[in-house]
Amino acid sequence: MTVSAPGTPEPQPAIPASSVEQLRKDGNELFKCGDYEGALTAYTQALGLGGTSQDQAILHRNRAACHLKLEDYDKAETEASKAIEKDGGDVKALYRRSQALEKLGRLDQAVLDLQRCVSLEPKNKVFQEALRNIGGQIQEKVRYMSSTDAKVEQMFQILLDPQEKGTEKKQKASQNLVVLAREGAGAEKIFRSNGVQLLQRLLDTGETDLMLAALRTLVGICSEHQSRTVATLSVLGTRRVVSILGVENQAVSLAACHLLQVMFDALKEGVKKGFRGKEGAIIVDPTRELKVLISNLLELLTEVGVSGQGRDNALTLLIKMVPRKSLKDPNNSLTLWVIDQGLKRILEVGGSVQEPPGELTVTANSRMSASILLSKLFDDLKCDAERENFHRLCENYIKSWFEDQGMAGKLRAIQTVSCLLQGPCDAGNRALELSGVMESVIALCASEREEEQLVAVEALIHAAGKAKRASFITANGVSLLKDLYKRSEKDSIRIRALVGLCKLGSAGGTDFSMKQFAEGSTLKLAKQCRKWLCNDQIDAGTRRWAVEGLAYLTFDADVKEEFVGDEDALKALFQLSRSEERAVLFAVASALVNCTNSYDCEEPDPKMVELAKYAKQHVPEQHPKDKPSFVRARVKKLLAAGVVSAMTCMVKTESPVLTNSCRELLSRVFLALVEEAEDRGTVVAQGGGKALLPLALEGTDVGQTKAAQALAKLTITSNPEMTFPGERIYEVVRPLVSLLHLNCTGLQNFEALMALTNLAGINERLRQKILKEKAVPMVEGYMFEEHEMIRRAATECMCNLAMSKEVQDLFEAEGNDRLKLLVLYSGEDDELLRRAAAGGLAMLTSMRPSLCSRIPQVTTHWLEILQALLLSPNQELQHRGAVVVLNMVEASREIASTLMESEMLEILSVLAKGKEDPVTRVATACLGKAVEYGLIKPNQDGE
């Protein structure tokens, strides 16, 4: 079956040439009147009727003229080129293509077309003037590029002049250089003006402002340009660029981190595209450059003298660079190479101690970043042999420190085990089983030295939750931790011991019947955690452990109630989430998930519950304070305390600690916060809409789905243009379309359809975005759904999408039942479904009159359905039905005759006599058209 091009009717046999000529004349008239869209439609219809090669050339060049007026220069060039293919001497087509090329900035090609025009019509003054103008533009561009060369040279002179130190002139020059590098032509000009060598001199000055300007300019030079990236690394030296990460100045280190990320992306893209840069030049295999870059980052991890911030940035880059983006990609060779070359270096950072400072300077986030990198590397392995190699390397490293390095070595080994337990816990579990490791942990818990106790207690805490075969931790851990909590004089030890107790005490989760501690003990632990959390005299690193404790204890509904009722504790929690202590994010998110009950919880089958009771099996019980009314009250308190602002700041965090799992927790909380329509305004006002977008586009599948559903709820009940201002509204479409997939729930399908309906009614660009995301086939599928609300929502969505030409083409195409479905739905009992379907019919018959003649063909009940719409007590249904009838009457005298010969004439006559309203006006117009056709006569009063 041959499918016609979009917007082009199927060719019909035996169409006289005069039809093509008439349509062309109609188009010309519309063009003269300024109706360029209408003219374009007329020329397109004429093209669809065939015609001679000369006719087609004229129609294509006329379409090019329309596109020029509509400022769609790409399409104008395409249409003019088609005309030139049909007739190489078509001077008008050549001129129009030159106009389009000029607007697109392709002046060299535009000149060639104009020169051809002048050669064909040497006396044409319009062509001569156009050629002079474009020649002037080219000369101006040459002058500009020459002046840009001079400007670049002048900027570098100012920046490298020692006499200009700290002046406003120097600051402005650095800003201009960065701005110029952001443009493709500017970046190329700097690069070709010996810019990289000059930027190297700026880096060598050691001045913060000059180094920042140089690094930001290099970002522009290397961005999406592989060959310039390789050349830049060759001039500066990979080692030199990586070493800038390790400087003490945080801003410079971050700028270097950004540059290295841009360089990595450019090199990686080159690997995918067969070693071709953006400019198409073939260069050396970038795989080698990638490995050199990563090798230098791995070496930086264990270099003495590197700042803690620099080490963290290096870990962040490795987390982003090394593991596969998708497990569907079969190539994990980079991960295997990093494990073989650098696993020991990563473990060295993970096993370092912050207090007292060791050989390596680390921050509070370094060990957590190392854990995340180890976890991602382990998850990227594909087979048991690869995982076994990972285990072997970890165990050998731990043994090397544990066996022959004294107490310092044992501490390093235990700290490394803790790092593994927080990351790839399978590797951590195996490390715990190494001879003497667990015994040393237990023994060091009783040490008199604080640093030894800290390492041991933290290891015990991590082991309590992860060690599968070390069951004696659970059996003996409570008494040991209680003893530490009661007897230690140091808050740092007591708070960690408390977290261990919290972790062991929360083993029953939300099951009210599984109490680990005596009545009231859990509340006492939570009260102490809140007390430490609110004590701003304690450092953030120690207060983080109080949040860890609450993350476990908030499984208990009594603890939840007290916690959300404590305004000071919530305020302290949100302040801590905004602090530099990034490792607290997961614990904060976990506590919020527990307080909002946004974890997954399946309702047990009553029959299975009865069976379990009969068999004397344990049956989970819900806490009375976990009922919906209590949860809603807790959500209100969290909103009042400013939870949305805090979570928005958490989402913005540029840190590896914001893992996909952490994103999922935040998505769950957001979905709980927008459950009630009355709360959605508060969420939007505090920036929740903006924060949900990245959560819906990146993370776990569950997290993305939850965030997308929250976006749908906001889009349904609020004005999308205010909720997602500017370009942000277009980013909402993809998450919403993802909810239409069959693996989503019926509620998610319904809410997505409702949200897309709202978006589709705003403007054509949004409708095009929805079409681009391939939503139309899925919407059509849901129009056949058994559930009436989903079916209705899909029909409403299609009604709004029908304003787009592409959707109209689908309805107009031969051999489909789309129109039939709308007609039949217009006669359903469900009034809301009828309204949606009738609205779609009214719009389609207005936009595409050809559909009017097909309505009588789709079902024998078409007349009854239209009559029922006009007789409906609902005025909106009446109006939509009347518009459909009017469109049909105006489309064809034959259809009008059929309608007037039926009871429709009587119905329209009654409606036309009613009080003045939209229905009366449309009914009167129908009768007026019938009079015009001579099908009926006006009555004696002329009505």
Side-chain angles (χ1 to χ4, degrees), residues 660-769:
N660 287 342
S661 298
C662 189
R663 286 172 171 274
E664 181 184 320
L665 295 178
L666 292 172
S667 297
R668 288 176 179 275
V669 178
F670 267 120
L671 183 56
L673 296 177
V674 299
E675 188 62 38
E676 297 292 322
E678 63 195 53
D679 295 330
R680 293 171 194 171
T682 305
V683 173
V684 171
Q686 295 182 14
K690 183 180 178 181
L692 276 166
L693 281 170
L695 293 176
L697 296 170
E698 184 183 348
T700 65
D701 290 341
V702 173
Q704 287 179 279
T705 301
K706 300 280 186 189
Q709 190 177 1
L711 284 172
K713 289 179 184 290
L714 292 179
T715 309
I716 291 167
T717 54
S718 59
N719 181 347
E721 291 176 287
M722 293 182 68
T723 305
F724 311 105
E727 292 297 305
R728 206 170 291 148
I729 193 170
Y730 301 98
E731 296 176 38
V732 180
V733 174
R734 181 172 295 174
L736 294 180
V737 173
S738 71
L739 293 177
L740 297 180
H741 292 295
L742 295 175
N743 58 345
C744 294
T745 65
L747 177 62
Q748 289 166 345
N749 299 154
F750 172 73
E751 290 179 332
L753 288 165
M754 293 284 286
L756 288 169
T757 301
N758 280 0
L759 293 179
I762 293 173
N763 60 43
E764 180 59 24
R765 188 179 164 195
L766 271 169
R767 288 191 286 276
Q768 289 298 323
K769 177 69 175 172

Side-chain angles (χ1 to χ4, degrees), residues 42 75 79 144 176 220 486 572 612 615 803 815 844 923:
K75 286 183 179 177
E79 290 296 332
Y144 170 75
N176 290 340
K486 290 177 181 176
M803 288 187 272
L844 285 164

Side-chain angles (χ1 to χ4, degrees), residues 615-674:
K616 296 184 178 178
Q617 296 293 315
H618 174 69
V619 179
E621 294 178 22
Q622 185 188 47
H623 195 292
K625 292 181 181 177
D626 271 334
K627 290 179 179 176
S629 59
F630 283 92
V631 176
R632 283 196 294 271
R634 290 201 292 267
V635 166
K636 300 281 186 192
K637 290 177 182 177
L638 287 169
L639 285 169
V643 66
V644 177
S645 298
M647 289 172 63
T648 302
C649 291
M650 290 167 71
V651 173
K652 290 178 184 175
T653 301
E654 289 289 335
S655 168
V657 176
L658 189 66
T659 59
N660 287 342
S661 298
C662 189
R663 286 172 171 274
E664 181 184 320
L665 295 178
L666 292 172
S667 297
R668 288 176 179 275
V669 178
F670 267 120
L671 183 56
L673 296 177
V674 299

Side-chain angles (χ1 to χ4, degrees), residues 401-592:
W401 280 103
F402 191 78
E403 292 174 355
D404 303 313
Q405 302 288 335
M407 181 53 68
K410 282 186 170 53
L411 287 175
R412 173 65 69 93
I414 293 170
Q415 190 77 283
T416 306
V417 172
S418 285
C419 178
L420 288 169
L421 286 167
Q422 289 177 277
C425 56
D426 286 346
N429 284 327
R430 282 188 47 163
L432 274 177
E433 294 173 0
L434 293 173
S435 176
V437 171
M438 185 51 68
E439 289 79 2
S440 295
V441 171
I442 300 295
L444 286 172
C445 282
S447 171
E448 293 182 0
R449 295 172 59 111
E450 184 179 2
E451 60 270 19
E452 293 175 4
Q453 268 193 315
L454 285 173
V455 170
V457 173
E458 285 185 22
L460 190 63
I461 291 168
H462 298 312
K466 302 285 176 64
K468 293 175 184 175
R469 289 183 282 275
S471 56
F472 71 94
I473 297 176
T474 306
N476 305 315
V478 174
S479 58
L480 178 63
L481 291 168
K482 276 185 178 179
D483 190 56
L484 283 170
Y485 174 58
K486 290 177 181 176
R487 297 187 181 183
S488 178
E489 296 178 0
K490 302 178 181 69
D491 279 346
S492 57
I493 300 297
R494 293 185 68 221
I495 199 168
R496 285 166 172 78
L498 179 60
V499 172
L501 289 170
C502 295
K503 199 169 186 177
L504 293 171
S506 64
T510 58
D511 185 356
F512 181 48
S513 61
M514 290 282 286
K515 290 285 187 179
Q516 299 296 310
F517 295 147
E519 190 70 34
S521 296
T522 305
L523 286 172
K524 288 179 182 176
L525 291 174
K527 186 176 180 180
Q528 185 60 54
C529 282
R530 297 203 311 274
K531 182 180 175 183
W532 271 320
L533 174 62
C534 296
N535 186 351
D536 54 13
Q537 300 301 311
I538 301 175
D539 66 279
T542 303
R543 289 165 67 204
R544 168 177 79 86
W545 287 96
V547 183
E548 293 273 359
L550 287 167
Y552 292 112
L553 291 175
T554 46
F555 279 119
D556 186 299
D558 289 317
V559 174
K560 299 177 197 182
E561 287 294 312
E562 286 196 1
F563 183 41
V564 297
D566 188 338
E567 292 182 11
D568 291 337
L570 289 178
K571 184 179 177 182
L573 180 77
F574 298 153
Q575 285 178 343
L576 194 59
S577 71
R578 295 183 176 96
S579 71
E580 292 298 317
E581 186 62 41
R582 303 285 83 188
V584 78
L585 295 184
F586 191 85
V588 172
S590 299
L592 292 173

Side-chain angles (χ1 to χ4, degrees), residues 875 879 882-883 915-924:
Q875 190 179 35
H879 182 249
V883 170
K915 63 179 182 179
E916 181 69 17
D917 62 23
V919 176
T920 305
R921 287 194 291 273
V922 176
T924 304

